[in-house]
Amino acid sequence: MGCLPAALERAGREESWAVADAICTVLEDPGELRAWRRQLLAACMRGLVAIYSSSKDESKPELERAMLLRLEELLGVLQEVDPGDWCSLVKTGLKYRYRDGTFLKVLNAAIQLLYSSESALAR
């Protein structure tokens, strides 16, 4: 469980995320579950940054779409991000995927969520 988030950043395979999802279903302590989801969110953002940086064109659209949807889901649950990871994702995403509709849709939804008046980032 400790090594999985780092592997998710590099691998970007659905099988690895299936294991992460299985861990979410068995964690009973709300604090542990939240901490686990934070790790998954960070891994997801770092994985997207790695994908965007390594393949400047959209060479893996299915993988990117799956990661973006996972990002949107985790943001909806947690409603918070690490500012460094967030800045890196926005910067890299806008640099390489400024024409990608899915990226822009998820980015817009994330901005609406994270910068609402109730969010910690808005304060």
Side-chain angles (χ1 to χ4, degrees), residues 5 11 24 35 37-38 43 68 73 84-85 103 107:
C24 284
R37 286 182 173 152
R38 281 186 187 139
L68 285 167
E73 174 190 339
D85 289 338
F103 169 75
L107 179 63

Side-chain angles (χ1 to χ4, degrees), residues 52-67:
Y52 293 160
S53 298
S54 67
S55 60
K56 314 241 185 299
D57 58 344
E58 295 182 52
S59 61
K60 302 175 185 176
E62 303 84 24
L63 174 61
E64 288 181 27
R65 179 178 306 279
M67 294 284 286

